[in-house]
Amino acid sequence: MSVTLADILAARQRIAGVAVRTPLVPSPHMSRISGADFLMKLETTQPIGAFKLRGALNAVAGVAAGAPGVTCCSTGNHGRGVAYAAKARGLPAVVCMSSLVPQAKVNGIRALGAEVRIVGRSQDDAHRESLRLVRDDGLTEIPPFDDPLVIAGQGTIGLELLEDRPDLAAILVPLSGGGLAAGIALAAKAIKPAIRVIGITMDRGAAMAQSVRAGTPVDVEEVASLADSLGGGIGRDNKLTLSICRDLLDDYVLVTEQEIYDAMQTLYFEDGLVAEGASVVGLAAVMAGKVSAGSGPTATILTGRNVDMATFTDVVSGRGVTLGDVELKGHAYGA
Ligand SMILES: *Cc1c(COP(=O)(O)O)cnc(C)c1O
């Protein structure tokens, strides 16, 4: 089982018309800081507000029309993507969640047309129910990242990046389970082998970076983070993304919560864009001097905009933010 450029080209055909071909826009402010053209791909403009629609659409397209439906247990952007993709393809979707998930997230997924099933008190309980639906009701599980169709769907971002800017020297990719980074690296390096693809994540819970170093999936503790979409492990029985990231990513860079806070403010005040913490880790890495963009035009992916608005307004207003046992001191932009 592997993923090729041909799979990614096929994915592009399948997702066209529902997933948006998103704009790649320059950031004059970030270009000044980095000393080279700095570009941002606005996956925030997808209809679910995040890139995960691409992989979900490609995976749902692999399910036969008239099949009983699809299921997953993500409460975040993957759940939104699966709900939207299933509805667009006329298939039922059941998203399983634990009773601890906030009502706003339940409502958000319901509004996209999926059935939400509340089971148990943990993500594990929700996942067990999802597997039971596969076994007993014949639903197809759509995995969040470790799946060839999902990886190929996310890889369509790599095609679009190099069509718009063939001169790109580096791509900074927000990294969690690695479906996005694996897909982009496969596409971009097939087209332009010399391009650098760098995975960026938060320093607390960098599952993929630690797993690549260890050579095997490493469990990480889940902690509260401004980049909540980057939380979680890569799966103990990881089949694809660990080896693809190991083979194709050029580097891993970790950023702190304070650096993410500063990057969210900067994106808002300099570029007028609202994005979740996971989206801005590429900016955070450049602003902190942790990647040098000096080698040429650099792009990052603004992966999503589904941020808790109370937290977002705290950040852009310069108020402090409490993340579990970590207190981030606030400051006004530029102060
Ligand atoms: C899922 C997600 C990521 C990370 O994607 P992976 O394929 O898990 O590495 C980054 N940003 C946002 C907003 C996401 O929802």
Side-chain angles (χ1 to χ4, degrees):
M1 194 164 55
S2 71
V3 183
T4 64
L5 181 60
D7 297 324
I8 298 170
L9 291 165
R12 169 150 62 185
Q13 302 296 322
R14 284 196 212 103
I15 72 172
V18 182
V20 170
R21 191 194 189 293
T22 53
L24 181 66
V25 300
S27 169
H29 178 77
M30 290 300 302
S31 299
R32 264 193 310 278
I33 291 181
S34 68
D37 281 359
F38 190 91
L39 302 122
M40 306 182 297
K41 188 154 173 69
L42 306 188
E43 289 299 304
T44 48
T45 62
Q46 292 292 354
I48 61 154
F51 75 88
K52 288 228 173 49
L53 181 58
R54 295 177 185 257
L57 272 170
N58 196 41
V60 168
V63 178
V70 298
T71 181
C72 73
C73 63
S74 161
T75 62
N77 288 325
H78 179 61
R80 299 171 68 90
V82 168
Y84 195 95
K87 185 165 186 180
R89 300 299 189 219
L91 280 171
V94 182
V95 180
C96 301
M97 299 183 189
S98 92
S99 58
L100 301 180
V101 170
Q103 192 63 33
K105 286 196 167 181
V106 175
N107 294 346
I109 302 241
R110 263 193 197 130
L112 292 168
E115 180 193 334
V116 173
R117 191 160 301 182
I118 308 285
V119 260
R121 294 184 60 78
S122 72
Q123 186 69 4
D124 279 351
D125 292 340
H127 191 218
R128 259 193 298 282
E129 173 66 5
S130 195
L131 295 180
R132 192 193 65 73
L133 291 171
V134 171
R135 205 174 51 238
D136 295 349
D137 297 358
L139 302 194
T140 302
E141 191 184 30
I142 308 293
F145 52 85
D146 198 26
D147 175 271
L149 291 171
V150 170
I151 294 169
Q154 322 304 31
T156 57
I157 292 173
L159 302 178
E160 294 172 16
L161 280 170
L162 280 168
E163 279 167 8
D164 289 355
R165 287 294 297 253
D167 60 339
L168 279 183
I171 307 174
L172 311 180
V173 187
L175 173 65
S176 177
L180 178 65
I184 289 178
L186 282 163
K189 295 202 170 194
I191 298 165
K192 184 172 183 177
I195 197 163
R196 285 170 57 77
V197 180
I198 300 168
I200 323 257
T201 193
M202 73 273 207
D203 57 0
R204 303 188 313 144
M208 181 62 81
Q210 286 182 30
S211 301
V212 167
R213 203 174 313 123
T216 185
V218 170
D219 284 335
V220 294
E221 205 194 324
E222 285 223 27
V223 294
S225 170
L226 284 174
D228 53 313
S229 290
L230 300 184
I234 68 165
R236 288 216 171 143
D237 57 348
N238 189 288
K239 292 176 204 59
L240 290 167
T241 58
L242 175 57
S243 58
I244 298 172
C245 288
R246 181 196 61 212
D247 293 348
L248 296 184
L249 296 196
D250 293 280
D251 204 357
Y252 300 84
V253 172
L254 311 187
V255 294
T256 66
E257 296 297 324
Q258 191 66 56
E259 288 163 353
I260 296 170
Y261 180 104
D262 294 348
M264 285 172 83
Q265 278 192 339
T266 300
L267 183 68
Y268 180 73
F269 282 98
E270 298 294 342
D271 299 289
L273 293 174
V274 175
E276 51 183 286
S279 288
V280 301
V281 293
L283 282 74
V286 171
M287 289 168 54
K290 293 179 174 177
V291 291
S292 61
S295 50
T298 299
T300 193
I301 302 39
L302 298 191
T303 46
R305 61 161 166 78
N306 297 317
V307 57
D308 171 57
M309 274 302 158
T311 306
F312 184 77
T313 45
D314 281 345
V315 171
V316 297
S317 311
R319 288 191 282 271
V321 176
T322 305
L323 300 163
D325 53 2
V326 174
E327 297 272 347
L328 282 187
K329 274 218 298 292
H331 63 84
Y333 180 61

